[in-house]
Amino acid sequence: MLLDMDGTLVNSDAAVERSWRVWADEHGFTMDDVMKVSHGRQAHATMAVLLPDRPVEQNLADNRAMLAREIADTEGVVPVPGAPDFMAAVADLPHALVTSADVALADARMRAADLRMPKIRVTAEDVGASKPDPEGFLLGAATLGVDPRDCVVFEDSEAGILAGRAAGMRVVGVGARAAAMSPDVHVPDLTHLRVEALPTGEMVLRVPA
């Protein structure tokens, strides 16, 4: 199981929007412009979509400033419904966090939501390309020692779902944003999932009626 963080395990929408609003106001974008492309991507990758002719160095500098704001602002960061029980259920099963956040932001948000950090995690520092590139999920699978075809991605965003598909993995979409992408399975939140370990070492994901 390869788990996205923001929107999948952690509801950080309010903090994300506060941070992006500062940048959007400075560069003449509406929040609707930004939110259409930002979910699931590293900030500098979103900036590159919105300002395709802007030097990479400026995007990376703004990315660093945004990360500093987001690390300091965890007001309203809470677990997605069902996330605490879900993380407890998968504790002894092979899983990894695969997030576009860096280590410091991932730590801050998981801590704010009072969620256990998986032992294996893939963060922004570990990849050269942001979602929708599949690099992060492929690295997560390799680190777990699992064939990508045997992995299930848990994602809320278009970019993340596209990345999971590009990695050749099945995708469980979590939340309203994911529904539009027709994932293999869709749930409103993690209260709608059950994880069962079989004696064979296989896992079964159940979606209660």
Side-chain angles (χ1 to χ4, degrees), residues 187-208:
V187 293
D189 57 49
L190 294 175
T191 64
H192 295 262
L193 276 177
R194 298 289 181 272
V195 183
E196 180 183 347
L198 301 180
T200 60
E202 296 172 304
M203 290 176 289
V204 176
L205 295 174
R206 300 191 188 278
V207 182

Side-chain angles (χ1 to χ4, degrees), residues 6-8 10-20 31 35 39 70 75-78 80 109 156 177:
D6 292 305
T8 301
V10 174
N11 182 344
S12 57
D13 284 358
V16 169
E17 291 182 15
R18 285 193 295 270
S19 183
W20 271 112
M31 281 302 292
M35 290 296 110
H39 290 293
E70 291 183 326
E75 182 180 353
V77 174
V78 297
V80 166
R109 286 190 174 156
D156 74 302
R177 282 190 293 265

Side-chain angles (χ1 to χ4, degrees), residues 91-127:
D92 296 324
L93 302 174
H95 68 286
L97 189 75
V98 181
T99 176
S100 295
D102 67 0
V103 169
L105 182 57
D107 282 341
R109 286 190 174 156
M110 292 290 279
R111 186 166 53 249
D114 196 24
L115 293 176
R116 173 186 58 80
M117 176 63 76
K119 293 178 181 178
I120 295 175
R121 60 186 180 183
V122 176
T123 62
E125 294 93 336
D126 299 315
V127 298

Side-chain angles (χ1 to χ4, degrees), residues 153-188:
V153 164
F154 293 75
E155 266 286 358
D156 74 302
S157 71
E158 178 180 358
I161 291 171
L162 290 173
R165 286 178 176 159
M169 301 171 181
R170 288 159 291 180
V171 179
V172 174
V174 180
R177 282 190 293 265
M181 291 301 295
S182 300
D184 296 288
V185 173
H186 175 260
V187 293

